[in-house]
mmCIF file of all heavy atoms in Angstrom:
data_model
loop_
_atom_site.group_PDB
_atom_site.id
_atom_site.type_symbol
_atom_site.label_atom_id
_atom_site.label_comp_id
_atom_site.label_asym_id
_atom_site.label_seq_id
_atom_site.Cartn_x
_atom_site.Cartn_y
_atom_site.Cartn_z
ATOM 1 N N TYR A 32 8.093 23.942 129.676
ATOM 2 C CA TYR A 32 7.981 22.740 128.856
ATOM 3 C C TYR A 32 9.344 22.571 128.200
ATOM 4 O O TYR A 32 9.853 23.487 127.564
ATOM 5 C CB TYR A 32 6.899 22.902 127.790
ATOM 6 C CG TYR A 32 5.505 23.004 128.357
ATOM 7 C CD1 TYR A 32 5.040 24.188 128.910
ATOM 8 C CD2 TYR A 32 4.651 21.894 128.357
ATOM 9 C CE1 TYR A 32 3.772 24.275 129.442
ATOM 10 C CE2 TYR A 32 3.373 21.981 128.881
ATOM 11 C CZ TYR A 32 2.940 23.176 129.416
ATOM 12 O OH TYR A 32 1.676 23.263 129.945
ATOM 13 N N PHE A 34 12.304 20.272 126.001
ATOM 14 C CA PHE A 34 12.491 19.319 124.907
ATOM 15 C C PHE A 34 13.990 19.138 124.651
ATOM 16 O O PHE A 34 14.787 20.029 124.904
ATOM 17 C CB PHE A 34 11.866 19.859 123.608
ATOM 18 C CG PHE A 34 10.431 20.292 123.710
ATOM 19 C CD1 PHE A 34 10.101 21.508 124.302
ATOM 20 C CD2 PHE A 34 9.410 19.504 123.186
ATOM 21 C CE1 PHE A 34 8.780 21.934 124.383
ATOM 22 C CE2 PHE A 34 8.093 19.917 123.257
ATOM 23 C CZ PHE A 34 7.782 21.131 123.853
ATOM 24 N N TYR A 36 16.055 18.112 121.127
ATOM 25 C CA TYR A 36 16.029 17.777 119.707
ATOM 26 C C TYR A 36 17.439 17.387 119.283
ATOM 27 O O TYR A 36 18.425 17.865 119.838
ATOM 28 C CB TYR A 36 15.591 18.978 118.862
ATOM 29 C CG TYR A 36 14.109 19.281 118.868
ATOM 30 C CD1 TYR A 36 13.530 19.968 119.933
ATOM 31 C CD2 TYR A 36 13.296 18.897 117.808
ATOM 32 C CE1 TYR A 36 12.179 20.263 119.931
ATOM 33 C CE2 TYR A 36 11.944 19.193 117.798
ATOM 34 C CZ TYR A 36 11.393 19.875 118.866
ATOM 35 O OH TYR A 36 10.050 20.168 118.863
ATOM 36 N N GLN A 38 20.037 16.995 115.775
ATOM 37 C CA GLN A 38 20.235 17.360 114.375
ATOM 38 C C GLN A 38 21.404 16.557 113.831
ATOM 39 O O GLN A 38 22.557 16.769 114.220
ATOM 40 C CB GLN A 38 20.521 18.857 114.235
ATOM 41 C CG GLN A 38 20.675 19.302 112.798
ATOM 42 C CD GLN A 38 21.014 20.780 112.686
ATOM 43 O OE1 GLN A 38 21.654 21.360 113.553
ATOM 44 N NE2 GLN A 38 20.558 21.414 111.614
ATOM 45 N N GLN A 42 20.744 17.671 108.091
ATOM 46 C CA GLN A 42 19.338 17.334 108.294
ATOM 47 C C GLN A 42 18.649 18.400 109.133
ATOM 48 O O GLN A 42 19.315 19.238 109.757
ATOM 49 C CB GLN A 42 19.229 15.983 109.017
ATOM 50 C CG GLN A 42 19.785 14.814 108.252
ATOM 51 C CD GLN A 42 18.943 14.464 107.050
ATOM 52 O OE1 GLN A 42 17.716 14.482 107.110
ATOM 53 N NE2 GLN A 42 19.595 14.188 105.935
ATOM 54 N N GLY A 43 17.342 18.333 109.144
ATOM 55 C CA GLY A 43 16.580 19.160 110.064
ATOM 56 C C GLY A 43 16.638 18.565 111.462
ATOM 57 O O GLY A 43 17.343 17.595 111.709
ATOM 58 N N LEU A 46 12.722 15.441 117.193
ATOM 59 C CA LEU A 46 12.465 15.380 118.622
ATOM 60 C C LEU A 46 13.004 14.101 119.234
ATOM 61 O O LEU A 46 12.763 13.012 118.718
ATOM 62 C CB LEU A 46 10.959 15.471 118.877
ATOM 63 C CG LEU A 46 10.534 15.464 120.335
ATOM 64 C CD1 LEU A 46 10.962 16.765 121.016
ATOM 65 C CD2 LEU A 46 9.026 15.271 120.458
ATOM 66 N N LYS A 49 10.442 14.903 125.452
ATOM 67 C CA LYS A 49 9.878 16.132 125.974
ATOM 68 C C LYS A 49 9.374 15.909 127.402
ATOM 69 O O LYS A 49 9.056 14.782 127.791
ATOM 70 C CB LYS A 49 8.734 16.637 125.099
ATOM 71 C CG LYS A 49 7.556 15.696 125.020
ATOM 72 C CD LYS A 49 6.482 16.246 124.080
ATOM 73 C CE LYS A 49 5.301 15.299 123.995
ATOM 74 N NZ LYS A 49 4.257 15.802 123.042
ATOM 75 N N TYR A 51 6.786 17.890 130.438
ATOM 76 C CA TYR A 51 6.017 19.027 130.935
ATOM 77 C C TYR A 51 5.332 18.770 132.262
ATOM 78 O O TYR A 51 4.834 19.695 132.891
ATOM 79 C CB TYR A 51 4.990 19.536 129.905
ATOM 80 C CG TYR A 51 4.165 18.487 129.226
ATOM 81 C CD1 TYR A 51 2.947 18.071 129.734
ATOM 82 C CD2 TYR A 51 4.600 17.923 128.031
ATOM 83 C CE1 TYR A 51 2.199 17.120 129.080
ATOM 84 C CE2 TYR A 51 3.855 16.965 127.370
ATOM 85 C CZ TYR A 51 2.652 16.558 127.893
ATOM 86 O OH TYR A 51 1.911 15.615 127.242
ATOM 87 N N PHE A 90 20.079 19.871 120.848
ATOM 88 C CA PHE A 90 19.545 21.152 121.291
ATOM 89 C C PHE A 90 18.564 20.948 122.432
ATOM 90 O O PHE A 90 17.639 20.125 122.343
ATOM 91 C CB PHE A 90 18.806 21.864 120.156
ATOM 92 C CG PHE A 90 19.689 22.359 119.051
ATOM 93 C CD1 PHE A 90 19.915 21.583 117.923
ATOM 94 C CD2 PHE A 90 20.310 23.595 119.138
ATOM 95 C CE1 PHE A 90 20.724 22.039 116.903
ATOM 96 C CE2 PHE A 90 21.124 24.060 118.128
ATOM 97 C CZ PHE A 90 21.339 23.268 117.004
ATOM 98 N N SER A 94 9.846 25.925 126.291
ATOM 99 C CA SER A 94 8.618 26.643 125.970
ATOM 100 C C SER A 94 7.866 26.853 127.282
ATOM 101 O O SER A 94 8.269 26.365 128.334
ATOM 102 C CB SER A 94 7.791 25.844 124.973
ATOM 103 O OG SER A 94 6.652 26.578 124.582
ATOM 104 N N ARG A 95 6.783 27.605 127.220
ATOM 105 C CA ARG A 95 5.946 27.833 128.393
ATOM 106 C C ARG A 95 4.504 27.510 128.062
ATOM 107 O O ARG A 95 4.119 27.558 126.898
ATOM 108 C CB ARG A 95 6.003 29.296 128.849
ATOM 109 C CG ARG A 95 7.284 29.760 129.463
ATOM 110 C CD ARG A 95 7.157 31.178 129.941
ATOM 111 N NE ARG A 95 6.694 32.068 128.892
ATOM 112 C CZ ARG A 95 6.454 33.353 129.082
ATOM 113 N NH1 ARG A 95 6.593 33.876 130.292
ATOM 114 N NH2 ARG A 95 6.059 34.120 128.108
ATOM 115 N N THR A 99 4.244 31.197 122.952
ATOM 116 C CA THR A 99 3.884 31.092 121.544
ATOM 117 C C THR A 99 4.843 30.192 120.795
ATOM 118 O O THR A 99 4.436 29.515 119.868
ATOM 119 C CB THR A 99 3.892 32.485 120.902
ATOM 120 O OG1 THR A 99 3.048 33.342 121.651
ATOM 121 C CG2 THR A 99 3.414 32.407 119.471
ATOM 122 N N TYR A 100 6.078 30.232 121.142
ATOM 123 C CA TYR A 100 7.056 29.453 120.404
ATOM 124 C C TYR A 100 8.150 28.971 121.340
ATOM 125 O O TYR A 100 8.229 29.364 122.489
ATOM 126 C CB TYR A 100 7.639 30.265 119.254
ATOM 127 C CG TYR A 100 8.236 31.599 119.657
ATOM 128 C CD1 TYR A 100 9.533 31.685 120.125
ATOM 129 C CD2 TYR A 100 7.499 32.762 119.538
ATOM 130 C CE1 TYR A 100 10.083 32.904 120.492
ATOM 131 C CE2 TYR A 100 8.035 33.983 119.904
ATOM 132 C CZ TYR A 100 9.327 34.048 120.374
ATOM 133 O OH TYR A 100 9.855 35.257 120.725
ATOM 134 N N GLN A 101 8.980 28.125 120.802
ATOM 135 C CA GLN A 101 10.025 27.487 121.590
ATOM 136 C C GLN A 101 11.331 28.249 121.450
ATOM 137 O O GLN A 101 11.647 28.780 120.395
ATOM 138 C CB GLN A 101 10.191 26.036 121.141
ATOM 139 C CG GLN A 101 8.901 25.232 121.304
ATOM 140 C CD GLN A 101 8.994 23.849 120.701
ATOM 141 O OE1 GLN A 101 9.804 23.580 119.850
ATOM 142 N NE2 GLN A 101 8.138 22.949 121.173
ATOM 143 N N ARG A 102 12.111 28.269 122.536
ATOM 144 C CA ARG A 102 13.423 28.906 122.532
ATOM 145 C C ARG A 102 14.503 27.841 122.593
ATOM 146 O O ARG A 102 14.466 26.956 123.442
ATOM 147 C CB ARG A 102 13.549 29.855 123.713
ATOM 148 C CG ARG A 102 12.978 31.213 123.398
ATOM 149 C CD ARG A 102 13.718 32.325 124.121
ATOM 150 N NE ARG A 102 13.443 33.611 123.520
ATOM 151 C CZ ARG A 102 12.303 34.269 123.665
ATOM 152 N NH1 ARG A 102 11.332 33.744 124.388
ATOM 153 N NH2 ARG A 102 12.127 35.421 123.082
ATOM 154 N N PHE A 103 15.488 27.982 121.709
ATOM 155 C CA PHE A 103 16.532 26.980 121.574
ATOM 156 C C PHE A 103 17.798 27.387 122.301
ATOM 157 O O PHE A 103 18.172 28.563 122.310
ATOM 158 C CB PHE A 103 16.868 26.773 120.101
ATOM 159 C CG PHE A 103 15.832 25.997 119.356
ATOM 160 C CD1 PHE A 103 14.622 26.568 119.012
ATOM 161 C CD2 PHE A 103 16.064 24.672 119.006
ATOM 162 C CE1 PHE A 103 13.658 25.848 118.341
ATOM 163 C CE2 PHE A 103 15.108 23.935 118.329
ATOM 164 C CZ PHE A 103 13.907 24.533 117.995
ATOM 165 N N GLY A 104 18.475 26.395 122.881
ATOM 166 C CA GLY A 104 19.829 26.614 123.346
ATOM 167 C C GLY A 104 20.781 26.674 122.154
ATOM 168 O O GLY A 104 20.373 26.505 121.008
ATOM 169 N N THR A 105 22.048 26.910 122.440
ATOM 170 C CA THR A 105 23.034 27.070 121.369
ATOM 171 C C THR A 105 23.509 25.736 120.809
ATOM 172 O O THR A 105 24.208 25.715 119.810
ATOM 173 C CB THR A 105 24.241 27.860 121.863
ATOM 174 O OG1 THR A 105 24.707 27.267 123.076
ATOM 175 C CG2 THR A 105 23.870 29.308 122.119
ATOM 176 N N TYR B 33 7.017 28.469 111.381
ATOM 177 C CA TYR B 33 8.131 29.253 111.918
ATOM 178 C C TYR B 33 9.276 29.314 110.910
ATOM 179 O O TYR B 33 9.491 28.364 110.157
ATOM 180 C CB TYR B 33 8.675 28.588 113.197
ATOM 181 C CG TYR B 33 7.629 28.232 114.223
ATOM 182 C CD1 TYR B 33 6.962 27.020 114.168
ATOM 183 C CD2 TYR B 33 7.323 29.101 115.256
ATOM 184 C CE1 TYR B 33 6.005 26.684 115.109
ATOM 185 C CE2 TYR B 33 6.371 28.774 116.208
ATOM 186 C CZ TYR B 33 5.713 27.563 116.128
ATOM 187 O OH TYR B 33 4.769 27.239 117.068
ATOM 188 N N TYR B 35 13.418 29.947 111.256
ATOM 189 C CA TYR B 35 14.592 30.111 112.106
ATOM 190 C C TYR B 35 15.822 30.238 111.227
ATOM 191 O O TYR B 35 15.854 29.750 110.109
ATOM 192 C CB TYR B 35 14.798 28.875 112.991
ATOM 193 C CG TYR B 35 13.782 28.651 114.081
ATOM 194 C CD1 TYR B 35 12.648 27.886 113.846
ATOM 195 C CD2 TYR B 35 13.979 29.159 115.360
ATOM 196 C CE1 TYR B 35 11.728 27.645 114.857
ATOM 197 C CE2 TYR B 35 13.063 28.922 116.380
ATOM 198 C CZ TYR B 35 11.946 28.164 116.109
ATOM 199 O OH TYR B 35 11.037 27.931 117.117
ATOM 200 N N GLN B 37 20.057 29.385 111.646
ATOM 201 C CA GLN B 37 21.019 28.680 112.488
ATOM 202 C C GLN B 37 22.420 29.164 112.183
ATOM 203 O O GLN B 37 22.879 29.077 111.040
ATOM 204 C CB GLN B 37 20.950 27.168 112.264
ATOM 205 C CG GLN B 37 21.900 26.391 113.166
ATOM 206 C CD GLN B 37 21.802 24.899 112.976
ATOM 207 O OE1 GLN B 37 21.367 24.411 111.933
ATOM 208 N NE2 GLN B 37 22.192 24.142 113.989
ATOM 209 N N GLY B 40 27.272 29.004 117.339
ATOM 210 C CA GLY B 40 27.341 29.784 118.569
ATOM 211 C C GLY B 40 26.039 30.433 118.973
ATOM 212 O O GLY B 40 25.939 30.999 120.058
ATOM 213 N N GLY B 42 22.818 28.779 118.021
ATOM 214 C CA GLY B 42 21.698 27.854 117.953
ATOM 215 C C GLY B 42 20.713 28.291 116.895
ATOM 216 O O GLY B 42 21.090 28.864 115.871
ATOM 217 N N LEU B 45 14.635 32.625 116.170
ATOM 218 C CA LEU B 45 13.365 32.780 115.473
ATOM 219 C C LEU B 45 13.292 34.117 114.751
ATOM 220 O O LEU B 45 13.505 35.164 115.351
ATOM 221 C CB LEU B 45 12.213 32.662 116.465
ATOM 222 C CG LEU B 45 10.817 32.706 115.871
ATOM 223 C CD1 LEU B 45 10.547 31.441 115.064
ATOM 224 C CD2 LEU B 45 9.784 32.854 116.981
ATOM 225 N N TYR B 48 7.074 34.098 112.618
ATOM 226 C CA TYR B 48 6.202 32.955 112.754
ATOM 227 C C TYR B 48 4.786 33.356 112.370
ATOM 228 O O TYR B 48 4.492 34.544 112.164
ATOM 229 C CB TYR B 48 6.274 32.350 114.150
ATOM 230 C CG TYR B 48 5.872 33.269 115.282
ATOM 231 C CD1 TYR B 48 4.607 33.185 115.850
ATOM 232 C CD2 TYR B 48 6.775 34.191 115.810
ATOM 233 C CE1 TYR B 48 4.251 34.013 116.902
ATOM 234 C CE2 TYR B 48 6.419 35.024 116.858
ATOM 235 C CZ TYR B 48 5.161 34.938 117.397
ATOM 236 O OH TYR B 48 4.796 35.758 118.444
ATOM 237 N N TYR B 50 0.442 32.179 112.882
ATOM 238 C CA TYR B 50 -0.595 31.381 113.534
ATOM 239 C C TYR B 50 -1.559 30.747 112.541
ATOM 240 O O TYR B 50 -2.363 29.898 112.913
ATOM 241 C CB TYR B 50 -1.426 32.249 114.475
ATOM 242 C CG TYR B 50 -0.685 32.798 115.665
ATOM 243 C CD1 TYR B 50 -0.571 34.170 115.859
ATOM 244 C CD2 TYR B 50 -0.121 31.945 116.606
ATOM 245 C CE1 TYR B 50 0.099 34.683 116.961
ATOM 246 C CE2 TYR B 50 0.541 32.447 117.704
ATOM 247 C CZ TYR B 50 0.657 33.817 117.875
ATOM 248 O OH TYR B 50 1.306 34.318 118.964
ATOM 249 N N ASP B 59 12.371 36.879 117.299
ATOM 250 C CA ASP B 59 13.430 37.556 118.053
ATOM 251 C C ASP B 59 14.357 38.400 117.182
ATOM 252 O O ASP B 59 14.930 39.383 117.647
ATOM 253 C CB ASP B 59 14.266 36.507 118.808
ATOM 254 C CG ASP B 59 13.439 35.822 119.884
ATOM 255 O OD1 ASP B 59 12.565 36.479 120.473
ATOM 256 O OD2 ASP B 59 13.671 34.621 120.134
ATOM 257 N N PHE B 90 15.821 27.417 108.587
ATOM 258 C CA PHE B 90 14.925 26.282 108.807
ATOM 259 C C PHE B 90 13.493 26.770 108.936
ATOM 260 O O PHE B 90 13.207 27.727 109.653
ATOM 261 C CB PHE B 90 15.305 25.515 110.067
ATOM 262 C CG PHE B 90 16.534 24.684 109.922
ATOM 263 C CD1 PHE B 90 17.768 25.166 110.315
ATOM 264 C CD2 PHE B 90 16.454 23.410 109.373
ATOM 265 C CE1 PHE B 90 18.907 24.395 110.169
ATOM 266 C CE2 PHE B 90 17.592 22.633 109.223
ATOM 267 C CZ PHE B 90 18.821 23.126 109.618
ATOM 268 N N ALA B 98 2.092 24.635 123.500
ATOM 269 C CA ALA B 98 3.489 24.721 123.921
ATOM 270 C C ALA B 98 4.135 23.360 124.135
ATOM 271 O O ALA B 98 5.347 23.235 124.057
ATOM 272 C CB ALA B 98 3.581 25.539 125.205
ATOM 273 N N ASN B 99 3.326 22.345 124.413
ATOM 274 C CA ASN B 99 3.931 21.062 124.740
ATOM 275 C C ASN B 99 3.961 20.086 123.566
ATOM 276 O O ASN B 99 4.137 18.894 123.757
ATOM 277 C CB ASN B 99 3.183 20.437 125.915
ATOM 278 C CG ASN B 99 1.731 20.129 125.559
ATOM 279 O OD1 ASN B 99 1.217 20.637 124.574
ATOM 280 N ND2 ASN B 99 1.084 19.319 126.361
ATOM 281 N N THR B 100 3.755 20.577 122.379
ATOM 282 C CA THR B 100 3.738 19.672 121.231
ATOM 283 C C THR B 100 5.008 19.806 120.401
ATOM 284 O O THR B 100 5.684 20.823 120.403
ATOM 285 C CB THR B 100 2.529 19.947 120.326
ATOM 286 O OG1 THR B 100 2.560 21.307 119.905
ATOM 287 C CG2 THR B 100 1.234 19.659 121.057
ATOM 288 N N GLU B 101 5.274 18.733 119.686
ATOM 289 C CA GLU B 101 6.461 18.666 118.848
ATOM 290 C C GLU B 101 6.355 19.651 117.692
ATOM 291 O O GLU B 101 5.272 19.902 117.146
ATOM 292 C CB GLU B 101 6.613 17.250 118.307
ATOM 293 C CG GLU B 101 7.806 17.030 117.415
ATOM 294 C CD GLU B 101 7.900 15.585 116.950
ATOM 295 O OE1 GLU B 101 7.030 14.782 117.339
ATOM 296 O OE2 GLU B 101 8.837 15.267 116.199
ATOM 297 N N VAL B 102 7.504 20.191 117.304
ATOM 298 C CA VAL B 102 7.610 21.029 116.122
ATOM 299 C C VAL B 102 8.365 20.236 115.065
ATOM 300 O O VAL B 102 9.369 19.588 115.359
ATOM 301 C CB VAL B 102 8.335 22.346 116.443
ATOM 302 C CG1 VAL B 102 8.549 23.158 115.180
ATOM 303 C CG2 VAL B 102 7.530 23.151 117.443
ATOM 304 N N PHE B 104 10.497 19.997 111.547
ATOM 305 C CA PHE B 104 11.402 20.848 110.792
ATOM 306 C C PHE B 104 11.617 20.351 109.369
ATOM 307 O O PHE B 104 11.625 19.149 109.098
ATOM 308 C CB PHE B 104 12.767 20.903 111.484
ATOM 309 C CG PHE B 104 12.773 21.742 112.724
ATOM 310 C CD1 PHE B 104 12.365 21.222 113.938
ATOM 311 C CD2 PHE B 104 13.180 23.056 112.664
ATOM 312 C CE1 PHE B 104 12.359 22.005 115.084
ATOM 313 C CE2 PHE B 104 13.187 23.862 113.803
ATOM 314 C CZ PHE B 104 12.770 23.320 115.009
ATOM 315 N N GLY B 105 11.843 21.317 108.479
ATOM 316 C CA GLY B 105 12.356 20.993 107.164
ATOM 317 C C GLY B 105 13.851 20.727 107.238
ATOM 318 O O GLY B 105 14.460 20.811 108.305
ATOM 319 N N LYS B 106 14.448 20.411 106.092
ATOM 320 C CA LYS B 106 15.864 20.043 106.063
ATOM 321 C C LYS B 106 16.791 21.241 105.930
ATOM 322 O O LYS B 106 18.008 21.088 105.959
ATOM 323 C CB LYS B 106 16.122 19.047 104.936
ATOM 324 C CG LYS B 106 15.445 17.712 105.168
ATOM 325 C CD LYS B 106 15.876 16.669 104.151
ATOM 326 C CE LYS B 106 15.272 15.319 104.529
ATOM 327 N NZ LYS B 106 15.695 14.244 103.599
#
Side-chain angles (χ1 to χ4, degrees):
Chain A
Y32 293 78
F34 307 77
Y36 283 80
Q38 183 182 30
Q42 297 290 319
L46 182 69
K49 62 182 180 182
Y51 46 91
F90 291 94
S94 184
R95 290 184 306 177
T99 306
Y100 55 84
Q101 301 173 338
R102 275 212 163 75
F103 285 74
T105 51
Chain B
Y33 310 87
Y35 291 91
Q37 182 178 23
L45 184 69
Y48 61 100
Y50 294 120
D59 294 326
F90 286 95
N99 63 344
T100 57
E101 180 179 0
V102 175
F104 286 84
K106 294 189 174 182

